[in-house]
Amino acid sequence: MYDSPRYQTTTTVVETTEYIGNDGPAVRIEFPRLDCEYIRTLGGIMKIVCIVLCLLTFIFVMMGPAYYTGVGWATFVSSVGIFVTTSLLTLYLFRVVDTLPSINWIVCEMVYCFAWTVFFFIAACVLAVASSQFRGTFAWAIAAFFAFGAMCAYGFDCYLKFLSWKNNERATGGSNPVVIQQQQRRNNFV
C-alpha cells in the first residue's frame, strides 16, 4: 500500500567566503564643528531676522491681555517659528546639512517658509483686528506689525529657497567657496 516514501530529504551545502580588507571602516563619521561663516550669508541673515521678528511678535503678544482666543494662534505661530528657525540655524552653523546630503534641505525649508508666511499673515490679521476691537491692546498692534514683518521675511526667504531649488543648488553650512567646491567634488565621486 505504501510503496514510495511520502517525503524526500535534500541536503544543500552553502559555502561562503568573507574577505576582510585593511581599507578602514566603510562609513566615515564626521563630527559637527561650529562654522560662524554661515551667519554672514544671506540665508543666515534671513534666519536671524526671522528669529528676531518671531521673538518680538511673541513678546508683544504676551504683553497683551489673554481674553481673545485668536491671539493663541499668534502665540503658537511665533513660538514654533522661533523653535524651528533656531533649530535650522543650528543645523547650518554646525554643518549638519553637509553631512546629510540625502535630505533635500532647500525644498524642506521652502515648504516651511511658505507655510509660515501664510501662518504669519493669518496671525497678523487676527492681531490687527483684535487690537482695534478691544481696549488696552496696544501691544497686540505692535505684535501685528512685527508679525507682518515676519511674514515678509519668511516670504522673502521662501523666494530665495525657490531660486536655489530652480538652480539645482545644494544647501551648505558655510560661505567658503573652497569648502563648497571640495564638497561638490566629494559628492561627484560618491
Side-chain angles (χ1 to χ4, degrees):
M1 183 170 196
Y2 295 107
D3 294 337
S4 64
R6 290 183 166 179
Y7 303 102
Q8 187 175 19
T9 305
T10 305
T11 305
T12 305
V13 177
V14 177
E15 191 174 318
T16 60
T17 307
E18 192 172 318
Y19 295 100
I20 300 174
N22 291 330
D23 296 339
V27 177
R28 188 179 65 185
I29 298 173
E30 292 182 20
F31 292 104
R33 60 190 184 283
L34 181 63
D35 183 18
C36 293
E37 289 294 317
Y38 180 73
I39 295 174
R40 294 185 181 136
T41 64
L42 186 57
I45 292 169
M46 288 307 301
K47 282 182 183 50
I48 291 173
V49 167
C50 288
I51 291 169
V52 168
L53 289 171
C54 286
L55 185 63
L56 288 171
T57 302
F58 182 77
I59 289 170
F60 282 104
V61 165
M62 290 292 120
M63 289 175 63
Y67 54 78
Y68 188 66
T69 57
V71 177
W73 173 251
T75 305
F76 169 77
V77 170
S78 59
S79 61
V80 171
I82 292 169
F83 177 73
V84 173
T85 309
T86 305
S87 299
L88 285 171
L89 180 63
T90 304
L91 290 175
Y92 276 96
L93 284 176
F94 285 101
R95 302 179 69 91
V96 175
V97 295
D98 296 337
T99 60
L100 299 172
S102 60
I103 298 173
N104 195 346
W105 292 99
I106 300 290
V107 174
C108 293
E109 280 191 82
M110 182 176 62
V111 169
Y112 165 71
C113 289
F114 180 77
W116 251 248
T117 301
V118 173
F119 292 164
F120 264 112
F121 176 73
I122 296 169
C125 290
V126 166
L127 287 170
V129 168
S131 68
S132 68
Q133 286 182 349
F134 299 108
R135 292 187 176 270
T137 57
F138 185 69
W140 287 350
I142 297 171
F145 173 77
F146 287 124
F148 278 119
M151 177 199 70
C152 293
Y154 276 110
F156 182 66
D157 200 14
C158 180
Y159 175 70
L160 293 176
K161 301 301 178 202
F162 175 75
L163 291 179
S164 297
W165 174 68
K166 287 300 277 184
N167 293 329
N168 291 326
E169 294 178 13
R170 277 199 37 216
T172 56
S175 65
N176 189 351
V178 174
V179 174
I180 294 171
Q181 288 175 357
Q182 288 174 349
Q183 291 170 354
Q184 289 174 347
R185 277 191 229 123
R186 187 182 326 141
N187 289 333
N188 288 338
F189 290 117
V190 173

